[in-house]
Short mmCIF file of all heavy atoms in Angstrom, two decimals:
data_model
loop_
_atom_site.label_atom_id
_atom_site.label_comp_id
_atom_site.label_asym_id
_atom_site.label_seq_id
_atom_site.Cartn_x
_atom_site.Cartn_y
_atom_site.Cartn_z
N SER E 13 5.02 -3.61 -25.15
CA SER E 13 4.90 -4.40 -23.89
C SER E 13 6.06 -4.22 -22.96
O SER E 13 5.88 -4.10 -21.85
CB SER E 13 4.78 -5.94 -24.34
OG SER E 13 3.58 -6.15 -25.06
N SER E 14 7.25 -4.09 -23.53
CA SER E 14 8.44 -3.87 -22.73
C SER E 14 8.35 -2.53 -22.11
O SER E 14 8.76 -2.34 -20.91
CB SER E 14 9.71 -3.96 -23.69
OG SER E 14 9.91 -5.34 -24.04
N GLN E 15 7.92 -1.46 -22.91
CA GLN E 15 7.72 -0.20 -22.30
C GLN E 15 6.77 -0.18 -21.13
O GLN E 15 6.92 0.50 -20.16
CB GLN E 15 7.38 0.77 -23.38
CG GLN E 15 7.34 2.22 -22.82
CD GLN E 15 6.90 3.23 -23.91
OE1 GLN E 15 6.60 2.87 -25.00
NE2 GLN E 15 6.95 4.54 -23.46
N ILE E 16 5.66 -0.96 -21.40
CA ILE E 16 4.57 -1.01 -20.30
C ILE E 16 5.30 -1.62 -19.03
O ILE E 16 5.02 -1.02 -18.02
CB ILE E 16 3.38 -1.84 -20.76
CG1 ILE E 16 2.60 -1.09 -21.87
CG2 ILE E 16 2.50 -2.19 -19.63
CD1 ILE E 16 1.49 -1.90 -22.55
N LEU E 17 6.00 -2.67 -19.14
CA LEU E 17 6.63 -3.35 -17.96
C LEU E 17 7.58 -2.33 -17.25
O LEU E 17 7.68 -2.18 -16.08
CB LEU E 17 7.23 -4.64 -18.34
CG LEU E 17 6.34 -5.81 -18.66
CD1 LEU E 17 7.14 -6.97 -19.17
CD2 LEU E 17 5.52 -6.08 -17.44
N VAL E 18 8.40 -1.67 -18.07
CA VAL E 18 9.44 -0.77 -17.50
C VAL E 18 8.67 0.39 -16.75
O VAL E 18 9.01 0.76 -15.63
CB VAL E 18 10.39 -0.17 -18.60
CG1 VAL E 18 11.07 1.09 -18.12
CG2 VAL E 18 11.33 -1.23 -19.08
N THR E 19 7.61 0.92 -17.38
CA THR E 19 6.83 2.03 -16.76
C THR E 19 6.13 1.49 -15.55
O THR E 19 6.14 2.27 -14.54
CB THR E 19 5.82 2.52 -17.81
OG1 THR E 19 6.56 2.96 -18.93
CG2 THR E 19 5.09 3.71 -17.20
N LEU E 20 5.60 0.35 -15.55
CA LEU E 20 5.02 -0.18 -14.30
C LEU E 20 5.94 -0.38 -13.19
O LEU E 20 5.66 -0.02 -12.03
CB LEU E 20 4.36 -1.71 -14.64
CG LEU E 20 3.69 -2.32 -13.48
CD1 LEU E 20 2.51 -1.48 -13.03
CD2 LEU E 20 3.19 -3.65 -13.90
N VAL E 21 7.18 -0.85 -13.49
CA VAL E 21 8.21 -0.93 -12.46
C VAL E 21 8.45 0.45 -11.92
O VAL E 21 8.69 0.63 -10.70
CB VAL E 21 9.39 -1.71 -12.90
CG1 VAL E 21 10.61 -1.53 -12.02
CG2 VAL E 21 9.15 -3.07 -13.14
N GLN E 22 8.60 1.44 -12.83
CA GLN E 22 8.83 2.73 -12.33
C GLN E 22 7.79 3.39 -11.46
O GLN E 22 8.04 4.00 -10.43
CB GLN E 22 9.07 3.73 -13.60
CG GLN E 22 10.33 3.47 -14.41
CD GLN E 22 10.49 4.26 -15.66
OE1 GLN E 22 9.50 4.68 -16.21
NE2 GLN E 22 11.68 4.51 -16.10
N VAL E 23 6.50 3.01 -11.89
CA VAL E 23 5.40 3.50 -11.02
C VAL E 23 5.37 2.84 -9.62
O VAL E 23 5.24 3.61 -8.62
CB VAL E 23 4.04 3.16 -11.74
CG1 VAL E 23 2.79 3.31 -10.80
CG2 VAL E 23 3.83 4.03 -12.95
N ILE E 24 5.71 1.54 -9.57
CA ILE E 24 5.78 0.88 -8.28
C ILE E 24 6.86 1.44 -7.50
O ILE E 24 6.74 1.66 -6.24
CB ILE E 24 5.81 -0.61 -8.49
CG1 ILE E 24 4.60 -1.18 -9.08
CG2 ILE E 24 6.29 -1.37 -7.17
CD1 ILE E 24 4.69 -2.59 -9.63
N GLN E 25 8.05 1.71 -8.04
CA GLN E 25 9.22 2.25 -7.30
C GLN E 25 8.92 3.64 -6.75
O GLN E 25 9.25 3.97 -5.70
CB GLN E 25 10.52 2.20 -8.17
CG GLN E 25 10.96 0.77 -8.45
CD GLN E 25 12.12 0.70 -9.55
OE1 GLN E 25 12.26 1.70 -10.36
NE2 GLN E 25 12.93 -0.23 -9.43
N LYS E 26 8.27 4.47 -7.67
CA LYS E 26 7.94 5.67 -7.12
C LYS E 26 6.95 5.80 -6.01
O LYS E 26 7.05 6.52 -5.06
CB LYS E 26 7.49 6.58 -8.30
CG LYS E 26 8.51 7.04 -9.34
CD LYS E 26 7.97 7.93 -10.42
CE LYS E 26 9.14 8.27 -11.36
NZ LYS E 26 8.65 9.31 -12.36
N ALA E 27 5.92 4.93 -6.26
CA ALA E 27 4.98 4.79 -5.03
C ALA E 27 5.55 4.27 -3.77
O ALA E 27 5.32 4.79 -2.66
CB ALA E 27 3.78 3.77 -5.49
N ALA E 28 6.57 3.34 -3.91
CA ALA E 28 7.25 2.79 -2.82
C ALA E 28 8.16 3.89 -2.12
O ALA E 28 8.24 4.04 -0.93
CB ALA E 28 8.13 1.62 -3.18
N PHE E 29 8.79 4.69 -2.96
CA PHE E 29 9.56 5.81 -2.44
C PHE E 29 8.75 6.81 -1.68
O PHE E 29 9.12 7.19 -0.57
CB PHE E 29 10.30 6.51 -3.51
CG PHE E 29 11.08 7.76 -3.14
CD1 PHE E 29 12.33 7.59 -2.59
CD2 PHE E 29 10.45 8.98 -3.34
CE1 PHE E 29 13.08 8.77 -2.16
CE2 PHE E 29 11.28 10.12 -2.93
CZ PHE E 29 12.52 9.99 -2.33
N ILE E 30 7.55 7.15 -2.26
CA ILE E 30 6.71 8.13 -1.58
C ILE E 30 6.17 7.49 -0.32
O ILE E 30 6.15 8.13 0.90
CB ILE E 30 5.53 8.53 -2.44
CG1 ILE E 30 6.06 9.45 -3.61
CG2 ILE E 30 4.41 9.23 -1.60
CD1 ILE E 30 5.10 9.66 -4.67
N ASP E 31 5.89 6.18 -0.24
CA ASP E 31 5.37 5.57 0.86
C ASP E 31 6.32 5.54 1.96
O ASP E 31 6.04 5.37 3.16
CB ASP E 31 4.96 4.10 0.48
CG ASP E 31 3.64 3.71 1.10
OD1 ASP E 31 2.87 4.57 1.44
OD2 ASP E 31 3.45 2.47 1.36
N ASN E 32 7.66 5.48 1.59
CA ASN E 32 8.76 5.46 2.66
C ASN E 32 9.13 6.76 3.18
O ASN E 32 9.96 6.89 4.19
CB ASN E 32 10.03 4.72 2.09
CG ASN E 32 9.82 3.27 1.90
OD1 ASN E 32 9.15 2.63 2.75
ND2 ASN E 32 10.35 2.69 0.75
N GLN E 33 8.51 7.96 2.71
CA GLN E 33 8.83 9.14 3.19
C GLN E 33 8.03 9.46 4.50
O GLN E 33 6.75 9.38 4.47
CB GLN E 33 8.62 10.24 2.18
CG GLN E 33 9.34 10.10 0.91
CD GLN E 33 10.85 10.01 1.16
OE1 GLN E 33 11.48 10.84 1.75
NE2 GLN E 33 11.46 8.96 0.77
N PRO E 34 8.72 9.79 5.63
CA PRO E 34 7.91 10.11 6.88
C PRO E 34 7.07 11.34 6.65
O PRO E 34 7.41 12.20 5.95
CB PRO E 34 9.00 10.24 7.88
CG PRO E 34 10.27 10.47 7.18
CD PRO E 34 10.06 9.91 5.77
N VAL E 35 5.97 11.36 7.33
CA VAL E 35 5.06 12.58 7.22
C VAL E 35 5.23 13.34 8.50
O VAL E 35 5.12 12.89 9.65
CB VAL E 35 3.63 12.06 7.14
CG1 VAL E 35 2.61 13.24 7.18
CG2 VAL E 35 3.44 11.19 5.86
N ASP E 36 5.41 14.62 8.35
CA ASP E 36 5.55 15.58 9.44
C ASP E 36 4.33 16.54 9.39
O ASP E 36 4.18 17.37 8.53
CB ASP E 36 6.84 16.43 9.25
CG ASP E 36 7.05 17.39 10.51
OD1 ASP E 36 6.20 17.52 11.38
OD2 ASP E 36 8.16 18.03 10.42
N LEU E 37 3.46 16.35 10.33
CA LEU E 37 2.26 17.22 10.35
C LEU E 37 2.40 18.33 11.44
O LEU E 37 1.42 18.94 11.87
CB LEU E 37 1.01 16.42 10.78
CG LEU E 37 0.63 15.33 9.69
CD1 LEU E 37 -0.54 14.52 10.09
CD2 LEU E 37 0.30 16.05 8.40
N GLY E 38 3.63 18.51 11.85
CA GLY E 38 3.95 19.67 12.74
C GLY E 38 3.63 19.44 14.28
O GLY E 38 3.69 20.26 15.08
N ASP E 39 3.37 18.13 14.63
CA ASP E 39 3.01 17.78 16.09
C ASP E 39 4.17 17.21 16.77
O ASP E 39 4.01 16.61 17.87
CB ASP E 39 1.80 16.92 16.10
CG ASP E 39 0.64 17.67 15.39
OD1 ASP E 39 0.41 18.81 15.66
OD2 ASP E 39 -0.12 16.95 14.63
N GLY E 40 5.35 17.08 16.07
CA GLY E 40 6.45 16.49 16.82
C GLY E 40 6.91 15.20 16.09
O GLY E 40 7.60 15.23 15.12
N PRO E 41 6.32 14.07 16.50
CA PRO E 41 6.77 12.75 15.92
C PRO E 41 6.40 12.65 14.50
O PRO E 41 5.25 13.00 14.08
CB PRO E 41 6.09 11.81 16.78
CG PRO E 41 5.29 12.40 17.82
CD PRO E 41 5.33 13.97 17.50
N LEU E 42 7.30 12.05 13.74
CA LEU E 42 7.01 11.75 12.28
C LEU E 42 6.16 10.54 12.20
O LEU E 42 6.23 9.61 13.16
CB LEU E 42 8.35 11.55 11.52
CG LEU E 42 9.24 12.79 11.47
CD1 LEU E 42 10.53 12.46 10.80
CD2 LEU E 42 8.60 14.00 11.00
N LEU E 43 5.38 10.37 11.15
CA LEU E 43 4.44 9.25 10.93
C LEU E 43 5.06 8.44 9.73
O LEU E 43 5.29 9.08 8.66
CB LEU E 43 3.14 9.68 10.73
CG LEU E 43 2.43 10.21 12.07
CD1 LEU E 43 1.14 10.90 11.65
CD2 LEU E 43 2.21 9.17 13.12
N THR E 44 5.07 7.20 9.83
CA THR E 44 5.33 6.33 8.71
C THR E 44 4.05 6.07 7.81
O THR E 44 2.92 6.32 8.39
CB THR E 44 5.85 4.97 9.12
OG1 THR E 44 4.86 4.22 9.73
CG2 THR E 44 7.14 5.12 9.95
N ALA E 45 4.14 5.61 6.65
CA ALA E 45 2.98 5.43 5.87
C ALA E 45 2.12 4.35 6.49
O ALA E 45 0.87 4.45 6.53
CB ALA E 45 3.39 4.96 4.46
N ALA E 46 2.70 3.28 7.13
CA ALA E 46 1.94 2.24 7.72
C ALA E 46 1.17 2.86 8.91
O ALA E 46 0.02 2.48 9.20
CB ALA E 46 2.86 1.09 8.28
N GLU E 47 1.92 3.75 9.73
CA GLU E 47 1.07 4.37 10.74
C GLU E 47 -0.04 5.30 10.31
O GLU E 47 -1.17 5.15 10.89
CB GLU E 47 2.09 5.25 11.69
CG GLU E 47 3.11 4.36 12.46
CD GLU E 47 4.27 5.18 12.97
OE1 GLU E 47 4.59 6.32 12.56
OE2 GLU E 47 4.82 4.68 13.94
N ILE E 48 0.24 5.99 9.26
CA ILE E 48 -0.90 6.80 8.65
C ILE E 48 -2.08 5.88 8.28
O ILE E 48 -3.30 6.23 8.52
CB ILE E 48 -0.40 7.57 7.42
CG1 ILE E 48 0.47 8.72 8.02
CG2 ILE E 48 -1.49 8.15 6.57
CD1 ILE E 48 -0.18 9.94 8.50
N HIS E 49 -1.78 4.76 7.57
CA HIS E 49 -2.87 3.84 7.20
C HIS E 49 -3.61 3.30 8.36
O HIS E 49 -4.84 3.01 8.37
CB HIS E 49 -2.27 2.73 6.29
CG HIS E 49 -1.86 3.33 4.99
ND1 HIS E 49 -0.69 2.99 4.35
CD2 HIS E 49 -2.48 4.25 4.15
CE1 HIS E 49 -0.59 3.61 3.23
NE2 HIS E 49 -1.62 4.42 3.08
N LEU E 50 -2.88 2.97 9.46
CA LEU E 50 -3.60 2.52 10.71
C LEU E 50 -4.40 3.58 11.31
O LEU E 50 -5.65 3.30 11.71
CB LEU E 50 -2.53 2.00 11.71
CG LEU E 50 -3.22 1.44 13.01
CD1 LEU E 50 -4.18 0.34 12.72
CD2 LEU E 50 -2.08 1.01 13.98
N ILE E 51 -3.93 4.77 11.32
CA ILE E 51 -4.75 5.99 11.80
C ILE E 51 -5.93 6.06 10.96
O ILE E 51 -7.08 6.26 11.39
CB ILE E 51 -3.87 7.24 11.78
CG1 ILE E 51 -2.87 7.19 12.92
CG2 ILE E 51 -4.82 8.49 11.95
CD1 ILE E 51 -1.80 8.27 12.92
N ASP E 52 -5.80 5.90 9.57
CA ASP E 52 -6.97 6.00 8.65
C ASP E 52 -7.99 4.96 9.00
O ASP E 52 -9.21 5.31 9.11
CB ASP E 52 -6.45 5.90 7.21
CG ASP E 52 -7.53 5.93 6.21
OD1 ASP E 52 -8.26 6.97 6.11
OD2 ASP E 52 -7.85 4.93 5.57
N MET E 53 -7.51 3.77 9.20
CA MET E 53 -8.49 2.71 9.56
C MET E 53 -9.16 2.93 10.96
O MET E 53 -10.39 2.68 11.03
CB MET E 53 -7.78 1.39 9.57
CG MET E 53 -7.29 0.89 8.20
SD MET E 53 -8.58 0.76 6.94
CE MET E 53 -9.24 -0.77 7.34
N ALA E 54 -8.44 3.45 11.94
CA ALA E 54 -8.97 3.70 13.23
C ALA E 54 -9.96 4.96 13.12
O ALA E 54 -10.98 4.84 13.84
CB ALA E 54 -7.87 3.99 14.20
N GLY E 55 -9.74 5.84 12.19
CA GLY E 55 -10.63 6.89 12.02
C GLY E 55 -11.94 6.58 11.31
O GLY E 55 -13.00 6.92 11.62
N ARG E 56 -11.73 5.63 10.35
CA ARG E 56 -13.00 5.12 9.57
C ARG E 56 -13.77 4.21 10.36
O ARG E 56 -14.95 4.21 10.12
CB ARG E 56 -12.49 4.52 8.26
CG ARG E 56 -12.14 5.57 7.22
CD ARG E 56 -12.03 5.04 5.79
NE ARG E 56 -10.74 4.37 5.68
CZ ARG E 56 -10.58 3.32 4.80
NH1 ARG E 56 -11.56 2.93 4.01
NH2 ARG E 56 -9.45 2.83 4.64
N TYR E 57 -13.13 3.37 11.18
CA TYR E 57 -13.81 2.37 11.96
C TYR E 57 -13.65 2.64 13.47
O TYR E 57 -13.05 1.81 14.18
CB TYR E 57 -13.40 0.97 11.55
CG TYR E 57 -13.58 0.74 10.03
CD1 TYR E 57 -12.47 0.84 9.22
CD2 TYR E 57 -14.77 0.40 9.60
CE1 TYR E 57 -12.68 0.76 7.82
CE2 TYR E 57 -15.00 0.25 8.23
CZ TYR E 57 -13.84 0.34 7.29
OH TYR E 57 -14.03 0.19 6.01
N GLN E 58 -14.06 3.82 13.90
CA GLN E 58 -13.91 4.23 15.27
C GLN E 58 -14.43 3.24 16.22
O GLN E 58 -15.59 2.74 16.04
CB GLN E 58 -14.46 5.62 15.51
CG GLN E 58 -13.81 6.70 14.68
CD GLN E 58 -14.36 7.96 14.85
OE1 GLN E 58 -14.77 8.36 16.08
NE2 GLN E 58 -14.61 8.78 13.80
N GLY E 59 -13.62 2.91 17.27
CA GLY E 59 -14.08 1.97 18.22
C GLY E 59 -13.67 0.51 17.97
O GLY E 59 -13.96 -0.36 18.74
N ASP E 60 -13.22 0.23 16.74
CA ASP E 60 -12.74 -1.08 16.42
C ASP E 60 -11.62 -1.54 17.42
O ASP E 60 -10.86 -0.75 17.99
CB ASP E 60 -12.18 -1.14 15.07
CG ASP E 60 -13.20 -1.69 14.00
OD1 ASP E 60 -14.36 -1.73 14.39
OD2 ASP E 60 -12.81 -2.02 12.87
N THR E 61 -11.59 -2.80 17.54
CA THR E 61 -10.46 -3.45 18.42
C THR E 61 -9.29 -3.66 17.47
O THR E 61 -9.31 -3.56 16.25
CB THR E 61 -10.84 -4.76 19.10
OG1 THR E 61 -11.14 -5.67 18.03
CG2 THR E 61 -12.19 -4.58 19.82
#
Side-chain angles (χ1 to χ4, degrees):
S13 295
S14 293
Q15 184 183 5
I16 289 169
L17 288 175
V18 166
T19 304
L20 178 62
V21 168
Q22 290 172 336
V23 166
I24 292 169
Q25 289 172 337
K26 285 180 180 188
F29 175 79
I30 290 168
D31 223 28
N32 285 325
Q33 300 306 303
V35 174
D36 182 355
L37 294 176
D39 301 317
L42 300 179
L43 293 167
T44 67
E47 290 170 336
I48 288 285
H49 291 135
L50 179 60
I51 289 169
D52 179 63
M53 294 301 281
R56 284 195 278 153
Y57 303 100
Q58 295 180 42
D60 263 11
T61 65

